[in-house]
C-alpha cells in the first residue's frame, strides 16, 4: 500500500499467465472472476501493489467470492457462502501463507473501502484461526497423555479412497481432531469463543477415549494416564460396556471448568453426534458408541473428512485440517525451523491483541500491579482463571436480596423489593431471549443463558447492597434518591451481565448486552467507575475491559444521533461547559508543576466522596423512577421538588438557567474532557510536541469545537476531531507536521482502529430517520484527510487563525490543560514499573514531582557515568524478599540460596525507553 505509481509488469501478462490459471484451478465462475479482475485493476491504478501479484489476486478473488451468497438447489433455507471456493486451495495456488493472507486482506480492505460486513468476516476469520491455533496446541499434549503414540508407524502414508483405514495412533489423532472441528462447525457460536471451544475439545477427547475403552483397543491407550480404570492392569480386567467420563480429570489437569465442560458435552457434543448418527453420516449404536470399532472406523474416518470438506466449500472458511498437514509450517506462515508444537508462537502478536488487549490510556490508575509475570500463562488458562475468580467473588451469595438489603428496602417502601425484582426478572427475560436467538436451536443455549443470568443476579444484589451501604455511611446523602432510580438498577444489572459474559469469553462483544436490554450506552458510563471502586477484588483483565467499555461510551457511542445526550444538551439550551467549569481541581494557566502536583495529590480522590446518586440525578427521557409513596425527583441543578401526579408514569423537569458543576451532563463532560486530554497529550508526547503553550492552543481549539460546534461530534468519533485539531493548530503555528505522522502515532494508542480514519461520516444522520435502513445505506463516508479538507477546516479556520504565530491578538486567552495523573507522568515523568520506584522524566524538567525520603539514584543520557546506570540495574535485578512463615520452622544445615528471578519485562521496557530517549536527542 502506498502512493499511486505504475507497475513494470503488463496487466495482460498477469491476466494470461496467472489470473486465468487461478480461475481454472478454482473452477471460478465468470461473474466472480470478472468482479475480482476489475477490482484488482482499480486498486492497482491507485496504489503500488508490492510483492507477488498473485497475493493481491488472492485477496481480490476471496472478496469477490465472499460477496456471493446463494441458496442450495432444492433447499431454500441452506445458504452457500464463498462461491464454493476453498480458501485453503486458493492460498495454495497463490503460494501465500494464511497469516500473510490475513495481513494482506486487511490492507486490501482499506484500499477498496470494504463494507463493514466483509470486514467483520475477515476479523472472524482471524479470530477463528487464532482460537484454533491455541486449541490445537492444547490438543497435542492432551492426546499424548491419553493415548500411546510411541509404537505408531514411523512413516505416514496417505491412503487411497479404496484402501481400508485401520485405527492406528496417527489415524486416531487425525480422526479426533477432524471430529472436533466438524462439531465446532455445527455451532458457529463456539468458533470465536476460546473457552467453549476448548471445552468442546475436552468433550471430544473424553468421547474418543471412552470409545477406545469400549472397543477394547488397549494397545492405543497410554498406561500412565491417570484416568484409566483402576483395574486396567489386572488380569481380570473387562472392557466396559457403558461410557466412562473423564471430564473431571481432564479439567483438573488441563485448566478446564468442569461444569461448563459437562454442559458442552451434554447439550452440544451429544446432540451433534446423535444427529450425525441418525442421518447415517457416521456409523454407531443408539447409545452413541462403537464409532471406533474395527468394523466402523474405516467408514467413519472417511465420512467425517467428507463432511468437513463439504462444510469448508459451502462456507468458504479455511480448512482447519491444515494443522495436520506435513507442510503446516509453510501453509500457516511459520518458519521452516519451527516445529508443529511451536506454531502458536508465530501468532504471538495477533494473540496478544485478540486475547490480551492493551490497557486503555485512562484505565491505568485503577489497575493494581501485575503479579504473575511468568510465561506459563496461556489464553485458556487466563480465561479459566477469570471464571474461577468470579466464582470466588460470588461465593456464599445468592441471586436474591439478603435479609439486610430487604430490611433496607422495606424502610423506604413496602413495594420496593417486588418492583426491583420485577425489573430484574424482566431484564433477565430479555437477555435470555436474545442470548438464545443466535442459534436456530435455542434450547442448546438456554442452559448457558440461565447460568450467566444467575451469576449476574448474584453480582447485582451483592453490588447493590455494597453501594447502598457505602452511601449510607454519610448521613448527608439521601439513599432513597439512588434506590428509587430505574436507570441505576438497569445499568448496574447490565454491567453485571457484561462482566459475566466477558469472564466467560463470549463472542457477544460490547454493546451486545445493552442492545439486548434496550439500554442506551450513554447511561452505562455512570455505573462503571462505581463498580470498580466498590468491588476491589475484580481481576485486572476485568478492570481493563470495563475501562475500554467506558472509553467507547465516551468517545463515540454517546454521540450517536439517537443518544439521550442530545436531548439533555437541548434541554440545557445547548450550553456546553468548559473543562475548567466542571473540573475537580481549578487549574490556572500559569500554575507551576510542583503546585499542580500538590493540588492533585490532595484532591485526586475528592470525587470518591460525592454521592453516587449525582450520576443519576435527572431522569433520562422516557425513564421513570421506581414509585414510592411520595416521589422525589432531582433536576440537573439539584433542585428537589415533589411530584403528586405523573402523566404516563413520567415526569420530566424543564431545565432552565446555566449548567452547574454537578449533574449527569456535567459529570459526562468531565469524563469526556479527561479522556480527550489523556489521548491528546499522549499524541503530543509521541509527536515531540513539548511546548506547553502549543498544547494549550490545541486544547483551546478542541474545546471551541466541542462547545461552539457540538454537532461536529454527531455520529463521529472523538479521535477524529482530536487529530484534525492537532493538525490545524500545527499548520497555523508553522510546525512542519504531516497528517500521516499524526495517524501513525494514533495507531500506537490502545483504542486505535483503521476505520476511525478510513471512514468518517460527511454529514450527520437525521435523528428522525435513525431507524430507516435506506437512510443508513445512502450515507456517505470519506477518509479523515478528506473530511478535514471539506468540512473541518471550513468550520474551524477562523478560530484556528487566532492562534497563529503571525496573529496580533494579544488578548487571546488559552484554556488551561486538564491536570490529570497521566499528564504528570507523561511526558514529565513516566514510571517504568508499578512494583519498582523507577521513573523516567524529560531532561529539561525543572524538578521531579516524585518525593523520596532517601537520596534517589539518577542517570542522565550522555552525561552520567556508567556506574550510575549499573546501580539502577541492580535494583531491577534484585530478588523481592518475602517473610518466612512461623510454621516453616528452623532447618539444620546450610540454607539454600534462592535463585534471583530475571526481570525480562522490566529490563526490556527500560532498554526501550532509554533507546527512545537517545534517538530523540540524536534527531535534535
Amino acid at each position: 500500500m502506498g502512493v499511486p505509481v505504475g507497475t513494470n509488469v503488463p496487466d495482460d501478462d498477469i491476466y494470461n499467465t496467472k489470473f486465468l490459471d487461478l480461475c481454472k484451478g478454482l473452477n471460478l465462475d465468470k461473474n466472480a472472476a470478472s468482479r475480482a479482475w476489475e477490482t484488482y485493476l482499480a486498486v492497482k491504478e491507485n496504489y503500488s501493489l508490492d510483492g507477488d501479484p498473485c497475493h493481491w489476486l488472492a485477496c481480490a478473488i476471496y472478496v469477490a467470492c465472499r460477496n456471493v451468497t446463494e441458496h442450495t438447489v432444492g433447499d431454500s433455507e441452506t445458504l452457500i457462502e464463498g462461491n464454493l471456493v476453498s480458501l485453503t486451495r486458493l492460498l495454495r495456488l497463490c503460494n501465500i501463507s494464511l497469516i500473510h493472507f490475513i495481513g494482506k486482506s486487511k490492507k486490501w480492505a482499506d484500499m477498496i473501502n470494504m463494507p463493514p460486513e466483509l470486514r467483520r468476516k475477515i476479523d472472524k476469520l482471524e479470530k477463528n484461526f487464532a482460537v484454533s491455533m491455541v486449541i490445537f496446541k492444547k490438543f497435542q499434549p492432551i492426546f499424548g497423555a491419553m493415548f500411546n503414540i510411541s509404537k505408531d508407524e514411523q512413516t505416514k502414508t496417505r491412503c487411497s479412497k479404496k484402501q481400508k483405514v485401520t485405527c492406528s495412533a496417527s489415524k486416531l489423532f487425525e480422526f479426533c481432531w477432524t471430529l472436533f472441528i466438524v462439531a465446532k462447525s455445527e455451532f458457529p457460536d463456539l468458533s470465536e469463543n476460546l473457552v467453549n471451544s476448548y471445552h468442546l475439545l475436552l468433550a471430544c477427547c473424553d468421547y474418543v477415549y471412552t470409545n477406545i475403552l469400549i472397543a477394547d483397543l488397549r494397545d492405543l491407550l497410554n498406561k500412565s494416564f491417570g484416568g484409566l480404570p483402576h483395574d486396567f492392569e489386572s488380569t481380570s480386567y473387562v472392557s466396559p460396556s457403558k461410557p466412562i467420563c473423564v471430564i473431571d480429570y481432564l479439567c483438573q489437569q488441563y485448566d478446564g471448568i468442569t461444569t461448563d465442560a459437562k454442559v458442552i458435552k451434554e447439550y452440544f457434543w451429544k446432540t451433534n453426534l446423535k444427529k450425525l448418527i441418525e442421518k447415517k453420516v457416521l456409523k454407531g449404536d443408539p447409545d452413541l458408541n462403537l464409532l471406533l470399532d474395527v468394523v466402523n472406523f474405516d467408514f467413519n474416518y472417511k465420512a467425517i473428512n467428507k463432511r468437513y470438506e463439504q462444510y469448508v466449500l459451502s462456507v468458504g472458511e479455511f480448512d482447519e485440517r491444515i494443522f495436520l498437514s506435513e507442510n503446516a509450517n509453510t501453509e500457516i506462515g511459520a518458519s521452516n525451523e519451527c516445529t508443529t508444537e511451536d506454531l502458536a508462537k508465530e501468532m504471538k502478536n495477533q494473540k496478544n491483541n485478540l486475547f490480551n488487549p492493551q490497557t486503555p490510556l485512562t484505565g491505568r490508575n485503577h489497575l493494581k500491579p501485575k503479579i504473575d509475570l511468568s510465561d506459563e500463562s496461556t489464553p485458556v488458562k487466563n480465561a479459566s482463571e477469570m471464571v474461577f475468580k468470579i466464582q470466588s467473588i460470588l461465593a456464599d451469595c445468592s441471586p436474591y436480596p439478603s435479609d439486610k438489603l430487604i430490611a433496607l428496602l422495606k424502610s423506604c417502601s413496602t413495594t420496593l423489593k417486588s418492583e426491583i425484582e420485577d425489573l430484574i426478572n424482566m431484564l433477565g427475560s430479555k437477555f435470555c431471549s436474545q442470548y438464545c436467538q443466535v442459534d436456530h436451536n435455542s434450547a442448546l443455549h438456554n442452559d448457558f443463558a440461565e447460568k450467566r443470568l444467575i451469576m449476574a443476579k448474584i453480582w447485582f444484589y451483592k453490588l447493590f447492597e455494597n453501594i447502598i451501604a457505602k452511601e449510607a455511611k454519610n448521613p448527608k446523602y439521601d439513599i432513597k434518591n439512588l434506590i428509587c432510580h430505574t436507570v441505576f438498577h438497569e445499568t448496574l444489572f447490565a454491567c453485571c451481565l457484561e462482566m459475566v459474559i466477558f469472564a466467560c469469553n463470549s463472542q457477544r462483544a460490547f454493546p451486545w448486552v445493552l442492545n439486548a436490554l434496550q439500554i442506551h450506552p450513554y447511561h452505562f458510563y455512570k455505573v462503571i467507575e462505581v463498580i470498580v471502586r466498590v468491588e476491589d477484588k475484580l481481576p485486572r483483565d476485568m478492570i481493563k475491559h470495563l475501562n475500554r467499555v467506558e472509553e467507547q461510551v465516551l468517545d463515540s457511542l454517546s454521540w450517536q444521533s439517537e443518544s439521550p445526550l442530545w436531548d439533555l444538551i437541548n434541554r440545557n439550551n445547548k450550553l456546553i461547559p468548559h473543562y475548567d467549569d466542571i473540573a475537580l481541581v481549578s487549574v490556572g494557566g500559569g500554575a507551576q508543576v510542583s503546585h499542580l502536583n500538590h493540588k492533585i495529590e490532595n484532591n485526586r480522590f475528592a470525587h470518591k466522596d460525592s454521592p453516587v446518586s449525582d450520576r443519576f440525578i435527572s431522569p433520562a427521557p422516557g425513564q421513570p423512577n421506581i414509585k414510592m409513596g411520595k416521589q422525589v425527583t432531582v433536576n440537573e441543578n439539584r433542585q428537589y421538588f415533589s411530584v403528586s401526579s405523573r402523566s404516563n408514569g413520567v415526569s420530566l423537569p424543564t431545565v432552565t438557567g446555566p449548567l452547574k458543576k454537578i449533574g449527569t451532563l456535567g459529570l459526562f463532560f468531565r469524563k469526556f474532557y479527561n479522556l480527550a486530554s489523556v489521548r491528546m497529550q499522549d499524541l503530543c508526547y509521541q509527536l515531540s510536541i513539548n511546548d506547553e503553550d502549543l498544547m494549550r492552543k490545541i486544547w483551546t481549539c478542541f474545546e471551541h469545537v466541542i462547545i461552539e460546534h457540538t454537532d461536529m461530534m454527531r455520529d463521529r468519533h472523538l479521535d477524529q476531531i482530536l487529530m484534525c485539531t492537532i493538525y490545524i493548530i500545527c499548520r497555523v503555528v508553522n510546525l512542519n507536521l504531516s497528517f500521516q505522522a499524526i495517524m501513525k502515532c494514533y495507531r500506537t494508542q490502545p483504542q486505535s482502529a483503521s476505520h476511525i480514519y478510513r471512514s468518517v461520516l460527511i454529514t450527520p444522520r437525521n435523528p428522525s430517520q435513525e431507524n430507516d435502513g435506506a437512510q443508513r445505506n445512502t450515507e456517505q463516508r470519506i477518509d479523515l484527510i478528506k473530511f478535514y479538507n471539506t468540512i473541518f477546516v471550513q468550520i474551524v479556520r477562523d478560530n484556528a487563525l487566532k492562534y497563529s504565530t503571525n496573529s496580533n491578538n494579544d488578548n487571546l486567552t488559552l484554556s488551561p490543560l486538564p491536570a490529570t495523573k497521566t499528564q504528570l507522568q507523561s511526558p514529565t515523568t513516566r514510571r517504568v514499573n508499578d512494583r519498582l520506584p523507577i521513573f523516567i522524566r524529560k531532561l529539561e524538567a525543572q524538578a521531579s514531582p516524585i518525593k523520596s525520603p532517601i537520596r534517589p539514584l539518577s542517570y542522565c543520557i550522555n552525561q552520567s557515568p556508567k556506574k550510575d546506570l549499573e546501580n539502577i540495574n541492580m535494583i531491577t535485578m534484585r530478588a523481592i524478599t518475602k517473610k518466612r512463615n512461623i510454621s516453616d520452622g528452623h532447618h539444620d544445615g546450610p540454607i539454600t540460596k534462592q535463585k534471583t528471578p530475571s526481570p525480562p519485562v522490566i529490563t526490556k521496557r527500560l532498554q526501550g525507553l532509554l533507546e527512545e530517549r537517545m534517538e530523540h536527542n540524536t534527531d535534535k
Side-chain angles (χ1 to χ4, degrees), residues 215-251:
D216 198 20
L217 300 174
R218 62 182 67 193
D219 291 339
L220 294 176
L221 295 172
N222 189 346
K223 295 182 180 180
S224 61
F225 179 61
L228 287 172
H230 64 278
D231 59 342
F232 183 76
E233 296 289 347
S234 65
T235 56
S236 59
Y237 168 76
V238 179
S239 59
S241 58
K242 294 183 179 180
I244 297 176
C245 181
V246 291
I247 288 288
D248 293 302
Y249 179 82
L250 291 176
C251 290

Side-chain angles (χ1 to χ4, degrees), residues 769-778:
Q769 299 178 348
E770 60 191 19
N771 296 322
D772 187 357
Q775 175 75 11
R776 289 182 179 271
N777 293 334
T778 56

Side-chain angles (χ1 to χ4, degrees), residues 394-411:
L394 304 181
D396 302 327
C397 298
S398 63
Y400 306 101
S402 64
D403 295 338
K404 182 179 178 181
L405 183 58
I406 292 175
L408 182 61
L409 295 177
K410 285 184 178 180
S411 66

Side-chain angles (χ1 to χ4, degrees), residues 6-64:
T7 178
N8 296 327
V9 182
D11 295 337
D12 292 340
D13 292 346
I14 298 176
Y15 183 84
N16 294 324
T17 60
K18 297 183 178 181
F19 184 72
L20 290 181
D21 291 340
L22 287 176
C23 294
K24 293 178 181 179
L26 297 170
N27 195 22
L28 198 63
D29 65 274
K30 293 183 179 179
N31 292 332
S34 176
R35 287 194 304 271
W37 181 249
E38 290 174 0
T39 305
Y40 172 79
L41 290 180
V43 172
K44 188 178 179 183
E45 184 177 352
N46 296 316
Y47 297 92
S48 62
L49 301 179
D50 54 337
D52 191 342
C54 282
H55 296 172
W56 299 110
L57 288 174
C59 298
I61 294 173
Y62 176 76
V63 172

Side-chain angles (χ1 to χ4, degrees), residues 333-350:
S335 59
N336 294 331
E337 297 80 8
C338 184
T339 63
T340 308
E341 294 182 356
D342 296 329
L343 286 179
K345 294 181 181 178
E346 298 294 331
M347 283 290 288
K348 183 176 181 180
N349 294 332
Q350 290 88 334

Side-chain angles (χ1 to χ4, degrees), residues 509-795:
F510 183 82
W512 180 89
V513 166
L514 300 185
N515 295 333
L517 302 185
Q518 297 175 341
I519 299 174
H520 197 276
Y522 167 75
H523 303 303
F524 197 65
Y525 86 93
K526 306 171 186 178
V527 78
I528 294 177
E529 187 175 354
V530 177
I531 292 176
V532 172
R533 296 193 186 281
V534 170
E535 189 60 82
D536 57 353
K537 295 182 180 179
L538 285 177
R540 282 176 54 90
D541 289 343
M542 182 69 74
I543 297 177
K544 289 166 62 175
H545 173 68
L546 292 178
N547 277 292
R548 284 194 299 271
V549 166
E550 184 181 73
E551 288 194 5
Q552 268 186 273
V553 172
L554 294 172
D555 63 22
S556 57
L557 296 180
S558 290
W559 298 97
Q560 295 172 346
S561 294
E562 63 273 16
S563 172
L565 174 64
W566 297 106
D567 183 74
L568 290 175
I569 291 175
N570 292 332
R571 287 163 53 190
N572 199 62
N573 298 327
K574 297 186 178 180
L575 296 176
I576 306 298
H578 288 268
Y579 171 76
D580 199 32
D581 296 333
I582 54 177
L584 292 171
V585 182
S586 181
V587 182
Q592 295 297 323
V593 174
S594 60
H595 180 55
L596 276 179
N597 296 335
H598 177 69
K599 292 182 68 175
I600 291 175
E601 287 297 327
N602 293 335
N603 294 276
R604 186 186 305 165
F605 304 110
H607 60 295
K608 288 184 179 181
D609 298 327
S610 61
V612 178
S613 56
D614 275 4
R615 300 168 182 265
F616 305 90
I617 225 169
S618 178
Q623 293 289 343
N625 284 0
I626 295 177
K627 297 180 181 179
M628 284 181 57
K630 186 178 182 181
Q631 180 63 47
V632 178
T633 310
V634 189
N635 67 8
E636 288 291 329
N637 296 320
R638 298 196 70 179
Q639 297 170 342
Y640 295 77
F641 56 92
S642 301
V643 180
S644 57
S645 62
R646 297 183 295 176
S647 175
N648 297 327
V650 182
S651 178
L652 295 177
T654 301
V655 180
T656 58
L659 178 71
K660 301 296 182 182
K661 292 186 180 181
I662 199 67
T664 56
L665 194 61
L667 287 170
F668 172 81
F669 276 99
R670 178 188 295 168
K671 280 187 168 291
F672 173 76
Y673 281 136
N674 177 71
L675 174 63
S677 171
V678 169
R679 292 185 180 177
M680 185 205 77
Q681 293 183 53
D682 181 77
L683 284 175
C684 289
Y685 176 75
Q686 296 187 61
L687 293 166
S688 299
I689 300 177
N690 300 320
D691 183 13
E692 184 178 350
D693 186 63
L694 178 55
M695 288 196 292
R696 289 180 61 189
K697 288 180 179 181
I698 296 172
W699 180 253
T700 306
C701 183
F702 172 77
E703 272 193 332
H704 170 80
V705 174
I706 299 300
I707 294 171
E708 302 297 334
H709 308 286
T710 315
D711 275 346
M712 189 87 76
M713 282 294 300
R714 190 185 294 270
D715 294 316
R716 295 195 180 104
H717 199 283
L718 164 64
D719 296 342
Q720 296 168 348
I721 307 302
L722 272 180
M723 285 188 280
C724 289
T725 305
I726 292 175
Y727 181 72
I728 195 172
I729 295 300
C730 290
R731 286 291 303 273
V732 298
V733 299
N734 299 323
L735 179 62
N736 187 17
L737 186 67
S738 66
F739 220 124
Q740 285 78 9
I742 297 175
M743 290 190 291
K744 180 180 179 181
C745 293
Y746 165 73
R747 285 193 288 267
T748 65
Q749 293 189 337
Q751 83 287 348
S752 64
S754 62
H755 69 85
I756 299 300
Y757 51 84
R758 296 285 180 190
S759 178
V760 187
L761 195 67
I762 295 181
T763 55
R765 293 192 298 265
N766 188 346
S768 62
Q769 299 178 348
E770 60 191 19
N771 296 322
D772 187 357
Q775 175 75 11
R776 289 182 179 271
N777 293 334
T778 56
E779 68 182 27
Q780 296 181 353
R781 292 181 173 271
I782 53 179
D783 62 50
L784 186 60
I785 297 179
K786 291 181 181 178
F787 166 77
Y788 171 85
N789 291 326
T790 58
I791 296 177
F792 186 86
V793 73
Q794 305 298 329
I795 298 175

Side-chain angles (χ1 to χ4, degrees), residues 157-170:
T157 57
R158 188 173 297 275
C159 303
S160 65
K161 293 184 178 180
K162 296 183 178 180
Q163 184 178 353
K164 189 173 182 179
V165 180
T166 58
C167 187
S168 61
S170 62

